[in-house]
Amino acid sequence: MEQVTDHTLAAARKVIAVHLNYPSRAAQRGRTPEQPSYFLKPSSSLALSGSSVERPAGCELLGFEGEVALVIGKDARRIGIEDAWSYVAAVTASNDLGVYDLRYADKGSNVRSKGGDGFTPVGPALIPADAIDPAGLRIRTWHNGELVQDDTTADLLFPFARLVADLSQLLTLQEGDIILTGTPAGASVARPGDVVEVEVSGGAHSTGRLRTTVTEGTTPFADFGAGPKADDTQREEAYGCRAAAGLPESGTAENTASALSPELKAKLESVCTATLSSQLRKRGLNNVSIDGLQSTRPGKRIVGLARTLRYVPNREDLFKTHGGGFNAQKRAIDTVNDGEILVMEARGEKGTGTVGDILALRAQVRGAAAIITDGGVRDLSAVAALEMPTYFANPHPAVLGRRHVPWDTDITIACGGTTVQPGDIIVADADGILVIPPALAAELAEDSIAQEREEAFIAEMVAQGHSVDGLYPLDAAWRGKYEAWDAEQPRD
């Protein structure tokens, strides 16, 4: 079988990579694209099997992704799906390497994060395209000898022929060009000294194992360009999930499903924020309301766990490094989970929007229970038309960069005059928005339910013409009457 050689690499004028293509990876990322999307890798990133790749000095997160690579056999321009496979000469194994520490600097292009020398090893052998079924390939990746990726091309989101045909609509695919077709779940992080191997097989054919050894870079980045910077969001993306990255779920130990069970949520939904506020006050908590906001759905009651996003005042140089691409705002929107509430710290700045119709829609699609911001909202009519409520200070047409830099997520923030931590329980209705410490929520719900039963009795007595003297609050005589009344009430 023909081997991948330096001639193969030299013939590749361009390397095109697909973002998401395997259902397992899409499920891991929490999003499934409707159409394929791509990025370019320089041909100088290509390397042969057996080569080493340097994790750049100062970087933490060198991610590996085993992929099937297509090698184009003849020029293709505006071809159809039915003919596209005939333009592929061969398939081989590839490893789409990249440093997540530099993603912030790319603004979505992946040039620095995935374009380094040696970041696209391919080989070792070429399987002729006419000898295999493109939907019958198996892709496997080993990390230090352990099998970490094992999937097939049977149910790709975008079959190989569709990728070739799609790309040819706007650009000419030239003989020797390479298309990386996406990676399944299981991609992770390699450290210096690690060995990553990738194999593609189909029927009786195999590429053999593409072997790459990771080394440690020793030359630091120059100070005139963007340097490496890692945070927990990038660690989660690089390792595939928070647990694999050694991070607590959803940012804090408290922010788990157990912090807000369906039973507790139902109890909190059954009582008013006014009642909850009085119970919080009895416990010495007077500064737990998010004040001064209006709602697009004022009649809707919501209960959910807080996720947080912080904006800092705009500074032009910082907006250049943090405001573009998949910034903190977009990461927060794109990772909010079902039933969670995204709370934004905008410092009460009303002179610009902090969320608009597209991102609010994305949060709704993700299942968010609400968005809360103490800043402005853009595209108010469209945001107000969504079923998901948004709480905001005022409408404003200006874009984010006029006043804010999206800075970080899942940290302790201030919003509307109170402190909010990831994993706090947020309850909101027409009376306002409360922040409830998770440790108090269960007893708070029970006592609030009991208080509202008392108040239902008091209201009934007042309606019958009784004076509130001794009745509100209950004195000893009225309490006895209440207990008798309560014993006769049906229970759910």
Side-chain angles (χ1 to χ4, degrees), residues 266-323:
K267 289 177 180 179
L268 291 171
E269 287 174 335
S270 73
V271 293
C272 299
T273 56
T275 307
L276 290 167
S277 179
S278 67
Q279 288 296 328
L280 286 163
R281 189 171 61 252
K282 288 180 181 179
R283 291 162 172 81
L285 293 170
N286 293 302
N287 296 296
V288 288
S289 62
I290 297 176
D291 298 332
L293 306 185
Q294 53 187 306
S295 174
T296 59
R297 287 279 183 270
K300 191 167 185 176
R301 181 174 297 175
I302 61 163
V303 177
L305 291 175
R307 297 287 298 277
T308 60
L309 166 64
R310 180 166 69 107
Y311 298 110
V312 297
N314 186 32
R315 206 178 85 184
E316 288 76 7
D317 60 323
L318 295 178
F319 195 86
K320 287 180 180 178
T321 59
H322 290 75

Side-chain angles (χ1 to χ4, degrees), residues 126-486:
L126 295 165
I127 303 175
D130 59 8
I132 50 95
D133 174 7
L137 298 177
R138 184 182 186 188
I139 174 77
R140 288 181 292 175
T141 304
W142 293 263
H143 182 204
N144 293 331
E146 179 185 355
L147 183 65
V148 292
Q149 291 185 288
D150 189 356
D151 211 329
T152 74
T153 58
D155 58 352
L156 295 176
L157 300 175
F158 312 111
F160 295 156
R162 178 173 172 181
L163 298 177
V164 175
D166 183 40
L167 286 165
S168 78
Q169 302 309 298
L170 279 174
L171 54 89
T172 299
L173 295 172
Q174 297 165 297
E175 181 180 357
D177 285 351
I178 293 174
I179 302 173
L180 309 185
T181 58
T183 194
S188 189
V189 171
R191 298 178 176 86
D194 288 357
V195 175
V196 181
E197 299 170 291
V198 184
E199 181 184 13
V200 173
S201 58
H205 303 280
S206 170
T207 62
R209 292 196 186 186
L210 168 69
R211 181 182 175 90
T212 305
T213 302
V214 180
T215 63
E216 180 70 276
T218 57
T219 304
F221 284 85
D223 58 9
F224 49 75
K229 183 169 57 179
D231 57 26
D232 285 352
T233 298
Q234 296 308 320
R235 293 183 182 98
E236 179 181 356
E237 290 274 307
Y239 282 92
C241 64
R242 297 186 68 83
L247 300 170
E249 288 300 315
S250 299
T252 67
E254 293 83 9
N255 194 5
T256 62
S258 60
L260 186 61
S261 66
E263 295 77 16
L264 176 57
K265 182 180 180 183
K267 289 177 180 179
L268 291 171
E269 287 174 335
S270 73
V271 293
C272 299
T273 56
T275 307
L276 290 167
S277 179
S278 67
Q279 288 296 328
L280 286 163
R281 189 171 61 252
K282 288 180 181 179
R283 291 162 172 81
L285 293 170
N286 293 302
N287 296 296
V288 288
S289 62
I290 297 176
D291 298 332
L293 306 185
Q294 53 187 306
S295 174
T296 59
R297 287 279 183 270
K300 191 167 185 176
R301 181 174 297 175
I302 61 163
V303 177
L305 291 175
R307 297 287 298 277
T308 60
L309 166 64
R310 180 166 69 107
Y311 298 110
V312 297
N314 186 32
R315 206 178 85 184
E316 288 76 7
D317 60 323
L318 295 178
F319 195 86
K320 287 180 180 178
T321 59
H322 290 75
F326 197 52
N327 60 32
Q329 179 200 43
K330 292 178 181 177
R331 293 198 305 270
I333 292 287
D334 219 44
T335 59
V336 68
N337 295 314
D338 188 44
E340 292 178 335
I341 296 171
L342 180 57
V343 186
M344 301 178 178
E345 174 185 335
R347 310 176 313 284
E349 168 57 61
K350 299 180 180 180
T352 191
T354 56
V355 68
D357 57 345
I358 298 299
L359 293 185
L361 175 61
R362 176 60 177 159
Q364 176 172 282
V365 170
R366 291 280 302 169
I371 291 175
I372 299 173
T373 174
D374 61 356
V377 64
R378 298 180 69 221
D379 312 305
L380 178 59
S381 60
V383 174
L386 298 176
E387 186 64 26
M388 178 196 70
T390 294
Y391 298 79
F392 62 101
N394 62 285
H396 200 284
V399 296
L400 185 69
R402 182 169 185 259
R403 291 283 189 266
H404 302 296
V405 181
W407 198 252
D408 45 15
T409 62
D410 289 323
I411 60 168
T412 299
I413 64 168
C415 182
T418 196
T419 300
V420 182
Q421 293 190 297
D424 281 342
I425 296 174
I426 306 295
V427 181
D429 62 15
D431 280 343
I433 309 166
L434 292 176
V435 181
I436 298 175
L440 294 179
E443 70 172 64
L444 199 73
E446 293 294 343
D447 290 351
S448 295
I449 290 170
Q451 178 181 327
E452 291 200 348
R453 282 203 303 269
E454 286 189 15
E455 291 176 351
F457 168 75
I458 291 168
E460 185 176 318
M461 295 302 103
V462 169
Q464 292 177 11
H466 294 282
S467 169
V468 294
D469 184 29
L471 176 62
Y472 185 57
L474 297 171
D475 60 16
W478 274 111
R479 179 158 296 281
K481 294 177 182 179
Y482 160 69
E483 291 173 355
W485 172 91
D486 185 53

